[in-house]
């Protein structure tokens, strides 16, 4: 339940101008302020709020206590009729109004119909009682009649204005006590009406102890209760009308909530493979490149002006793309389209490749259209539409696709050659160490006959057939480092020493300047000076 402080009414006078002047309650200081409309007044004019219908149902208590005199000395009932006459004169021709009186009985003195003329007195002259004489106050039946009148209207916003000076006093009525099945059905009825339009309940108590909050709370989930102040009734009625105007505006603004903008990108080489994605063909040229694209921003709203700011950021991990022309706000009227030129700049450099040929080039950026509205502060504060939003940013993925030559830099092949040469030298050095050069003489001796044959050692490996005495064999000699010493590695393949025997095969080592026996053959190494012979 909203209880609106009396001080707030004075601030609202700035937006009510003519209505308050007609009711005779506007202070003198309010007139100059009317020359400078609040921001919401411009919103109302843009939305043509005065051309939008609202359905008002005015419930007037005609119990005899309404003849009591108010602070101004006039009967409350007379004050109500006078202020309502002034209030109805401020309604627009698009508005609809119904007037219901209630006491022991309920009477619809003016069924729901459009306000076609500025004068409001004619609505009362024929139907309103001259004085309030009823002996009871059946608020529940009055609210039921109000629901029936609202059902006769298709206006998107409805308001029930309850003017009373007393609590519920309805003996014999289904609404005699709060919480009865009749009250529960009434609340369900108003709840159902509120699913497709805004229905607001306003309580305007004219005396203390009316318990208007409980009465309207039995029908509305969140009624708005104004303070007890009969002298300010004109101001309070204007306040209710102003809030209805705000609800009219909010009802229109909801159709634009979150609509935002549509973004299209056009230009040389631009393709659109899908929603929110753009491909820009960059060709096969290399070096510093640039391209100008046209970004068209189209407002998807019907009523709300937009402010759009383009932001661009290169995707991490890829080539840098600089964007000129982004960051400046673009103002869009509802439904308007504007085109912004963006200059994209990037470097399209060759790629490293061992085998020359074309390579794919890829770069990308995210183009964000951040949307706001100059109306947003006023809509959220003055109109009370705190959740109003123009939607999140519209993001477009821009892919730059082309080809670049794949090639090695000029220093690469000389480096490869140097590596090969160094590798070959290292391999040759390793080979020489594993296979030292031979020198000296190897004497092969047939141990049975004593016959000898010499083999001159040259190079890094010597293979020779020997026929010393009865020996028939092939001898292979090479060098090796073993335990920090240089030795000869001997391999002997000997024919069978006796007819019908098996060939002999053996491998062994012989220290430099010493002798050994393999396959029954003696081997002796000699040098001229018995010094180191392996290089």
């Amino acid at each position: 339940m909203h209880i609106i402080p009396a001080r707030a009414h004075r601030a609202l006078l700035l937006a009510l101008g003519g209505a308050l002047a007609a009711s005779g309650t506007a202070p003198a200081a309010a007139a100059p302020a009317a020359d400078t409309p609040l921001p919401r007044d411009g919103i109302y004019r843009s939305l043509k709020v005065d051309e939008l219908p609202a359905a008002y149902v005015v419930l007037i208590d005609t119990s005899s206590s309404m003849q009591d005199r108010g602070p101004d000395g006039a009967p409350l009932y007379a004050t109500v009729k006078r202020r309502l006459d002034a209030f109805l004169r401020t309604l627009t021709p698009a508005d609809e109004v119904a007037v219901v009186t209630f006491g022991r009985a309920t009477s619809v003195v003016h069924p729901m119909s459009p306000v076609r003329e500025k004068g409001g007195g004619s609505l009362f002259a024929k139907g309103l009682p001259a004085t309030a004489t009823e002996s009871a106050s059946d608020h529940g039946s009055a609210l039921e009649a109000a629901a029936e009148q609202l059902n006769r209207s298709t206006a998107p916003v409805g308001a029930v204005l309850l003017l009373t000076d007393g609590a519920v006093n309805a003996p014999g009525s289904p609404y005699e006590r709060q919480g009865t099945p009749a009250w529960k059905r009434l609340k369900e009825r108003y709840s159902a009406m509120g699913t497709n339009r805004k229905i607001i309940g306003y309580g305007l108590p004219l005396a203390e102890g009316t318990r208007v909050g409980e009465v309207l709370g039995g029908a509305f989930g969140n009624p708005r209760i104004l303070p007890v102040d009969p002298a300010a009734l004109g101001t309070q009625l204007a306040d209710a009308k102003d809030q209805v105007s705000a609800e009219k505006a909010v009802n229109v603004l909801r159709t634009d909530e979150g609509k935002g903008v549509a973004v299209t990108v056009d230009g040389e080489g631009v393709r659109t493979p899908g929603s929110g994605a753009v491909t820009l063909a960059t060709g096969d040229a290399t070096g510093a490149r640039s391209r100008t694209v046209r970004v068209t921003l189209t407002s998807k709203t019907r009523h709300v002006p937009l402010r759009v700011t383009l932001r661009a950021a290169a995707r991490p991990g890829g080539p840098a793309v600089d964007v000129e022309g982004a960051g400046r706000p673009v103002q869009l009227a509802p439904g308007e389209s504007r085109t912004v030129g963006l200059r994209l700049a990037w470097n399209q450099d060759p790629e490293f490749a061992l085998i020359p040929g074309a390579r794919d080039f890829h770069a990308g950026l995210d183009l964000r259209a951040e949307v706001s509205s100059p109306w947003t502060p006023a809509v959220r504060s003055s109109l009370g539409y705190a959740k109003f939003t123009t939607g999140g940013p519209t993001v477009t993925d821009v892919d730059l696709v082309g080809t670049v030559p794949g090639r090695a830099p000029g220093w690469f092949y000389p480096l490869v050659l140097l590596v090969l040469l160094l590798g070959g030298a290292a391999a040759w050095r390793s080979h020489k160490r594993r296979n030292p050069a031979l020198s000296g003489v190897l004497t092969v001796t047939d141990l049975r006959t004593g016959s000898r044959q010499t083999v001159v050692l040259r190079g890094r490996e010597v293979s020779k057939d020997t026929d010393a005495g009865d020996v028939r064999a092939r001898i292979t000699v090479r060098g090796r480092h073993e335990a920090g010493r240089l030795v000869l590695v001997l391999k002997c393949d000997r024919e069978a020493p006796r007819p019908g025997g098996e060939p002999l095969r053996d491998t062994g080592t012989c220290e430099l300047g010493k002798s050994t026996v393999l396959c029954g053959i003696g081997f002796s190494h000699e040098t001229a000076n018995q010094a180191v012979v392996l290089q």
Side-chain angles (χ1 to χ4, degrees):
M1 180 188 307
H2 293 296
I3 298 179
I4 303 175
R7 288 184 179 179
H9 303 156
R10 302 299 184 263
L12 289 172
L13 293 177
L14 298 175
L16 298 176
L20 297 179
S23 66
T25 60
D35 297 334
T36 307
L38 296 174
R40 65 175 177 180
D41 293 341
I43 295 175
Y44 287 170
R45 287 192 296 271
S46 296
L47 297 179
K48 299 181 179 179
V49 166
D50 286 346
E51 299 179 15
L52 303 174
Y56 293 87
V57 182
V58 183
L59 304 180
I60 305 174
D61 187 351
T62 55
S63 62
S64 58
S65 61
M66 288 287 288
Q67 291 299 128
D68 294 345
R69 296 185 181 278
D72 60 353
L76 295 176
Y77 186 63
T79 300
V80 167
K81 289 197 294 183
R82 186 174 69 255
R83 297 307 185 203
L84 277 177
D85 182 30
F87 166 72
L88 292 173
R89 291 176 188 276
T90 67
L91 300 183
T92 70
D95 290 329
E96 301 172 344
V97 67
V99 180
V100 177
T101 61
F102 68 95
R104 181 173 296 277
T106 299
S107 176
V108 179
V109 299
H110 184 83
M112 184 67 71
S113 59
V115 179
R116 293 189 175 89
E117 55 186 28
K118 289 292 183 182
S122 62
L123 297 175
F124 298 95
K126 296 180 181 179
L128 279 179
T131 59
T133 59
E134 290 285 338
S135 60
S137 298
D138 191 350
H139 298 72
S141 294
L143 289 169
E144 183 179 348
E148 293 172 356
Q149 293 302 308
L150 288 171
N151 281 335
R152 298 179 59 175
S153 170
T154 59
V157 179
V160 177
L161 310 180
L162 175 60
L163 295 91
T164 182
D165 72 333
V168 174
N169 178 22
S173 169
Y175 300 100
E176 181 178 0
R177 293 186 307 277
Q178 294 284 135
T180 63
W183 279 103
K184 292 180 180 178
R185 289 192 297 272
L186 183 63
K187 190 162 190 175
E188 292 172 355
R189 184 173 185 179
Y190 273 99
S191 178
M193 285 194 297
T195 57
N196 55 4
R197 57 179 173 164
K198 184 71 173 182
I199 307 295
I200 314 165
Y202 290 93
L204 294 91
L206 303 173
E208 299 291 346
T210 60
R211 304 176 73 175
V212 173
E214 294 183 14
V215 172
L216 284 179
F220 296 91
N222 197 20
R224 303 179 184 183
I225 310 302
L226 285 81
V228 177
D229 191 1
L233 181 58
T235 301
Q236 293 178 337
L237 289 170
D239 179 16
K241 173 181 175 292
D242 185 65
Q243 293 185 36
V244 170
S245 296
E247 291 296 340
K248 287 182 183 181
V250 168
N251 187 69
V252 176
L253 292 171
R254 284 195 181 98
T255 63
D256 279 349
E257 184 176 4
K259 289 295 183 65
V261 295
V263 179
T264 58
V265 182
D266 191 19
E268 180 186 352
V270 173
R271 294 187 298 106
T272 306
S275 176
V278 169
T279 299
L280 173 62
T282 64
D284 58 1
T286 59
R289 303 289 310 283
S290 66
R291 186 75 59 82
T292 298
V293 297
R294 298 180 296 276
V295 180
T296 302
L297 307 171
T298 302
S299 169
K300 296 164 69 175
T301 66
R302 296 179 57 192
H303 310 282
V304 178
L306 300 178
R307 181 189 297 114
V308 185
T309 303
L310 287 174
R311 310 282 186 192
R315 292 186 198 142
V321 181
D322 295 326
V323 181
E324 295 181 8
R328 294 191 295 269
V330 178
Q331 308 294 335
L332 293 178
E336 183 184 11
S337 295
R338 287 194 175 183
T339 300
V340 177
L342 297 183
R343 182 177 179 273
L344 311 183
W346 69 96
N347 284 327
Q348 195 160 324
D349 298 324
E351 291 189 7
F352 174 81
L354 293 177
I355 301 176
R359 298 292 186 271
D360 292 335
F361 171 79
H362 292 282
L365 59 90
D366 293 329
L367 187 63
R368 295 167 58 89
E370 298 177 352
V371 185
S372 61
S373 173
W375 285 10
T376 299
V379 170
R380 291 180 176 175
S381 58
S382 299
L383 302 188
Y385 189 6
K387 296 182 178 180
F388 176 75
T389 176
T390 52
T394 301
V395 180
T396 303
D397 295 330
V398 181
D399 292 318
L400 284 67
V401 178
T403 58
V404 293
R407 63 191 182 204
W411 49 263
F412 177 73
Y413 290 114
L415 177 63
V416 170
L417 179 59
L418 177 60
V419 170
L420 292 176
L421 292 174
L422 293 176
W428 174 245
R429 182 178 180 85
S430 176
H431 174 74
K432 287 174 62 176
R433 183 165 182 81
R434 291 194 308 269
N435 300 277
L438 302 175
S439 66
V441 175
L442 183 66
T443 302
V444 181
T445 304
D446 181 355
L447 297 179
R448 189 174 64 85
T449 64
S451 299
R452 296 184 177 185
Q453 185 177 16
T454 59
V455 177
V456 179
L457 300 181
R458 295 287 184 271
R460 301 187 183 276
E461 183 176 305
V462 174
S463 292
K464 186 173 179 61
D465 293 328
T466 180
D467 54 358
D470 295 332
V471 174
R472 301 291 183 270
R474 183 164 186 81
I475 308 301
T476 302
V477 185
R478 63 183 181 82
R480 185 175 72 187
H481 291 276
E482 188 175 273
R485 298 174 303 162
L486 299 176
V487 298
L488 298 177
V489 179
L490 306 177
K491 180 181 178 182
C492 176
D493 291 299
R494 180 178 180 180
E495 295 179 0
R498 297 180 181 83
E502 295 292 331
L504 301 178
R505 178 174 298 170
D506 199 358
T507 301
T509 61
C510 179
E511 294 185 20
L512 300 184
K514 296 186 178 182
S515 302
T516 189
V517 176
L518 295 175
C519 301
I521 304 172
F523 296 91
S524 299
H525 180 260
E526 296 179 357
T527 62
N529 54 7
Q530 294 294 312
V532 176
V533 297
L534 294 178
Q535 299 174 3

